[in-house]
Amino acid sequence: MASEKKSEDGGSLEEKVLLPSQRSMQVASFKVMDVLRRANELQASGVPVLHCEVGQPQSGAPVRVAEAAIKALSGPPRQVMGYTDAFGLPALRAKIAQHYAAKYTSSAGDALAVDPKQIVVTTGSSGAFLLAFTACFDTGDAVAIASSGYPCYRNILSALA
């Protein structure tokens, strides 16, 4: 519902409420996030909670990673930490490719060669699946999902339908 509001110069502004899309209302919640939200509410109210709902790491970042983050964040005052390549830092993608070559072998027994240009770094698995699904499927495509698969697959595909 819209309501009248006055702007700084005395003119009228209309306040509008942004409602969720119909599509978003049809996507079921990701149950583990519902459980996490409730567990966090209980914990915030003083109830002791042992979190077993998500695959959350139980340790902090490795010391070298934490030190590198501190160094990057406390660099020279004029150092700008701007946007990165949309697919991730090229040096990181190259290191990931090197890791695959050192750790994995192809069916022929050779080091597994992965071109860094084929590597995409994301903030997590859900973001990665969203990118992969939008790259692989069009609206209306039939997609089979294993019943023991990652629960978020269904939610992401429903949102993209």
Side-chain angles (χ1 to χ4, degrees):
M1 179 181 247
S3 62
E4 284 287 318
K5 213 174 187 185
K6 298 289 181 185
S7 69
E8 289 179 12
D9 64 0
S12 178
L13 292 177
E14 194 174 310
E15 184 179 301
K16 294 190 179 195
V17 177
L18 181 61
L19 299 174
S21 69
Q22 290 298 314
R23 175 175 45 184
S24 72
M25 300 304 291
Q26 295 172 8
V27 177
S29 65
F30 189 20
K31 297 298 180 203
V32 74
M33 291 294 116
D34 296 341
V35 172
L36 175 62
R37 184 177 306 109
R38 181 65 180 133
N40 286 337
E41 288 170 357
L42 289 170
Q43 193 170 28
S45 72
V47 175
V49 173
L50 175 61
H51 288 275
C52 298
E53 66 279 324
V54 292
Q56 184 86 342
Q58 293 301 310
S59 61
V63 174
R64 285 180 49 199
V65 172
E67 288 171 350
I70 290 167
K71 182 179 176 185
L73 293 170
S74 59
R78 298 202 182 272
Q79 180 177 339
V80 175
M81 291 187 63
Y83 289 105
T84 63
D85 185 297
F87 294 129
L89 295 170
L92 175 59
R93 293 165 60 202
K95 281 285 191 185
I96 293 169
Q98 289 172 6
H99 170 78
Y100 269 77
K103 184 151 178 102
Y104 302 103
T105 57
S106 69
S107 57
D110 302 323
L112 183 62
V114 178
D115 185 340
K117 292 177 183 173
Q118 294 178 301
I119 295 172
V120 177
V121 178
T122 68
T123 57
S125 62
S126 294
F129 289 126
L130 179 62
L131 288 173
F133 292 166
T134 55
C136 295
F137 307 120
D138 288 316
T139 301
D141 284 353
V143 179
I145 304 172
S147 65
S148 61
Y150 181 51
C152 205
Y153 291 159
R154 187 175 315 283
N155 293 27
I156 292 170
L157 289 168
S158 294
L160 296 174

